[in-house]
């Protein structure tokens, strides 16, 4: 399983950051490649809750995220499944003296494998996945500035 991750610190309260992340209706503003929300299970964001969304054209297609673990105020882990990969995505919210550090990590396995998959992953998949996480967090910071409870 490959892993990519990134972190970014924000001068905003952790509860505001978590509230924004847990609102799939707002994901279009910050999730990289997000095109449209197609379904939110009534259990979201509790364990077993699901969100289904579609990516922009040329993206990963239909993405299903199922909550596998949640520690309110601290983290959310979802099982991510789409046509290209399956894995676990974890977002963490860590309070610090200047606000909050948000971490975003994706552990994934490419579904269609062959002997060259490890090389293709290192050269062509891992970097773009990391970049997508970084873009998501940077857009998240911009969206968080205008979020209720962000203190601005």
């Amino acid at each position: 399983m490959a892993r990519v991750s990134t972190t970014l610190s924000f001068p905003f309260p952790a509860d505001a950051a978590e509230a924004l992340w847990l609102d799939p209706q707002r994901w279009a503003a910050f999730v990289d490649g997000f095109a449209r929300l197609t379904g939110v299970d009534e259990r979201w964001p509790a364990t077993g809750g699901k969100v289904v969304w579609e990516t922009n054209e040329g993206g990963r297609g239909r993405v299903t995220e199922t909550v596998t673990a949640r520690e309110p105020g601290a983290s959310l882990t979802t099982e991510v499944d789409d046509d290209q990969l399956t894995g676990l995505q974890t977002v963490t919210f860590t309070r610090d003296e200047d606000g909050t550090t948000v971490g975003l990590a994706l552990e994934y396995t490419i579904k269609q494998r062959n002997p060259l998959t490890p090389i293709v992953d290192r050269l062509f998949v891992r970097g773009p996945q990391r970049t997508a996480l970084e873009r998501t967090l940077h857009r998240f910071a911009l969206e968080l500035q205008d979020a209720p409870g962000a203190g601005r």
Side-chain angles (χ1 to χ4, degrees), residues 3-81:
R3 184 175 195 281
V4 291
S5 64
T6 189
T7 61
L8 194 58
S9 295
F10 309 108
F12 306 110
D15 56 344
E18 180 184 38
L20 176 59
W21 193 273
L22 295 179
D23 184 356
Q25 302 294 332
R26 309 272 309 271
W27 288 3
F30 61 88
V31 173
D32 191 64
F34 188 98
R36 72 190 66 66
L37 185 63
T38 60
V40 180
D41 183 282
E42 64 189 29
R43 296 173 290 173
W44 177 267
T47 301
K50 291 183 183 183
V51 171
V52 181
W53 55 280
E54 293 178 3
T55 64
N56 296 323
E57 192 166 326
R60 295 165 30 206
R62 179 170 284 213
V63 180
T64 301
E65 294 193 35
T66 306
V67 178
T68 59
R70 177 162 182 237
E71 186 178 334
S75 66
L76 174 75
T77 300
T78 58
E79 180 179 356
V80 177
D81 186 69

Side-chain angles (χ1 to χ4, degrees), residues 39-149:
V40 180
D41 183 282
E42 64 189 29
R43 296 173 290 173
W44 177 267
T47 301
K50 291 183 183 183
V51 171
V52 181
W53 55 280
E54 293 178 3
T55 64
N56 296 323
E57 192 166 326
R60 295 165 30 206
R62 179 170 284 213
V63 180
T64 301
E65 294 193 35
T66 306
V67 178
T68 59
R70 177 162 182 237
E71 186 178 334
S75 66
L76 174 75
T77 300
T78 58
E79 180 179 356
V80 177
D81 186 69
D82 62 43
D83 290 343
Q84 298 175 9
L85 61 84
T86 186
L88 291 175
Q89 178 175 278
T90 302
V91 60
T92 57
F93 307 94
T94 306
R95 291 171 172 82
D96 55 43
E97 61 187 41
D98 297 324
T100 305
T101 298
V102 177
L104 186 55
L106 176 64
E107 295 180 45
Y108 65 92
T109 300
I110 297 172
K111 286 183 172 180
Q112 295 182 5
R113 302 188 64 80
N114 63 50
L116 297 177
T117 299
I119 295 167
V120 170
D121 178 40
R122 285 185 198 260
L123 296 176
F124 302 107
V125 178
R126 201 168 299 179
Q129 287 292 345
R130 181 177 296 109
T131 300
L133 296 183
E134 291 168 350
R135 280 194 300 256
T136 293
L137 282 190
H138 284 285
R139 291 178 186 151
F140 182 73
L142 294 173
E143 189 68 13
L144 190 54
Q145 291 178 17
D146 298 325

